[in-house]
Amino acid sequence: MNTQLAAALAAEEAAIYAYGALGVRLTGAGERTEARAAEAAHRDRRDVLVSRLASLQASTAPAPAGYELPYEVTDRESALKLAIQVEDGVAQAWRAALPVTEGGDRSAALSALTDAAVRATRWRRLGSVTPATMAWPGRP
């Protein structure tokens, strides 16, 4: 379980970084508000995970000082594409935690997976990407 939660923590940290890079490329006030809310949600999940992993006395790799984005974010289209990719990646990390968790940890993992899938759907709709939803969110 610690390995999967540590991977979810890494995904949340990467999402925080990505939203900092993509948020400035979004054009509408509503889109920027969505990006700020998404970044805040990822920060909250990161903080909860750090506390949970500490209570489990699990060691995790420190967050890198910076991340390499998969491509340059230069405009709204590439920003939306990255937001979708980030949320799909977060959903994947949380989905991997589901089979190895139970109780409150499993509920938290399912909630995080659901939240990421909903955010990815919102970004797909804003970017006119079809299909807007995935049949199995978080599936590789």
Side-chain angles (χ1 to χ4, degrees), residues 7-8 11 20 23 29 31-32 44 47:
E31 292 174 356
R32 289 190 297 273
D44 290 345
D47 295 346

Side-chain angles (χ1 to χ4, degrees), residues 1 3-14 49 85-101 109-110 112-113 116 137-140:
M1 172 177 71
T3 302
Q4 289 81 3
L5 292 180
L9 175 61
E12 295 291 355
E13 290 170 337
L49 266 174
Q85 188 172 342
V86 162
E87 295 300 345
D88 285 344
V90 169
Q92 255 185 339
W94 282 109
R95 182 181 171 113
L98 285 174
V100 297
T101 54
L110 182 58
L113 166 63
R139 191 176 201 178

Side-chain angles (χ1 to χ4, degrees), residues 42-67:
H42 289 295
R43 285 182 185 281
D44 290 345
R45 290 221 192 269
R46 177 207 53 200
D47 295 346
V48 169
L49 266 174
V50 167
S51 294
R52 180 63 180 133
L53 287 165
S55 74
L56 294 171
Q57 298 180 350
S59 61
T60 61
Y67 293 82

